[in-house]
Amino acid sequence: EAEDRCARLSLERQEAEDRGAAAAIQHQTKMDELQLQHAQELTELRSQIEALEKRAVKAEEENEDFRQQLEDRQPELDRLTKRAYDLQLRLIEEQSLRKRCHNQIQDMKGAIRVFCRFRPLVPRETEKGDKVVLRQLDAFGVQLARVAKETKEFQFDSVFDGNSTQEDVFADCKELVQSAVDGYNVTIFAYGQTGAGKTHTMYGTQEDPGLAPRSIHALFEVIRKEQQGGAKSFKVKAYMVEVYKQEII
């Protein structure tokens, strides 16, 4: 019985030694794998560090080159900066001179200017047998010729016949927008009997606007150009009144 027990103990010890040896081998294998993984990671990190060091050196060289180029070009930059400043001063002076000349020209044209515009006949007038009795003589004159009556001629600051466009009329008025921005009081109005075409001349249509919408558009264009210079700010106010039979309604 003692021998059997010794044999069992010896077998159990052998099995324990075998399990210990297997565990040691497995542990050693894991250690070898971890060591290999760490070695690979270390190698990769070293490669990254070397790449970063090379990039840093290259960046420093490029920075030095850029700094040297900037220093070399600094005199040229200073010259161009001074040139731009001088041109800005000249632009301000020339704008002021242009405004003075512009308003002098407007003054020479007269404080009050009268334009004449006559429209073509509408279909209902043609059907009634009406005839055109006005004829444009030149840019300033118009002739009134009625049957069995004396022919008369009239002179204006400008004349627009039935073929004139809204743009033609506005071309003779748009310079007044600059005068308004420069501080002058400006008024434009249409006068004539009912059906003469006052509303068409002043307001027009969406497709073919008249003096009012064109002047407002031109006003904000002038303001935009003035503001780009940075020397002025603008505040625009507007109101509308209607006059009917000499009364404001």
Side-chain angles (χ1 to χ4, degrees), residues 30-48:
K30 288 183 179 180
M31 290 295 294
D32 292 341
E33 291 177 353
L34 288 174
Q35 187 176 4
L36 178 61
Q37 182 179 355
H38 290 163
Q40 291 175 346
E41 292 177 354
L42 182 59
T43 301
E44 184 177 354
L45 287 174
R46 287 175 177 172
S47 299
Q48 292 179 359

Side-chain angles (χ1 to χ4, degrees), residues 2-22:
E3 290 178 357
D4 291 340
R5 186 176 181 183
C6 288
R8 284 197 304 274
L9 291 173
S10 178
L11 181 59
E12 290 175 358
R13 185 185 66 182
Q14 183 63 40
E15 291 176 353
E17 290 176 353
D18 292 342
R19 287 197 300 271

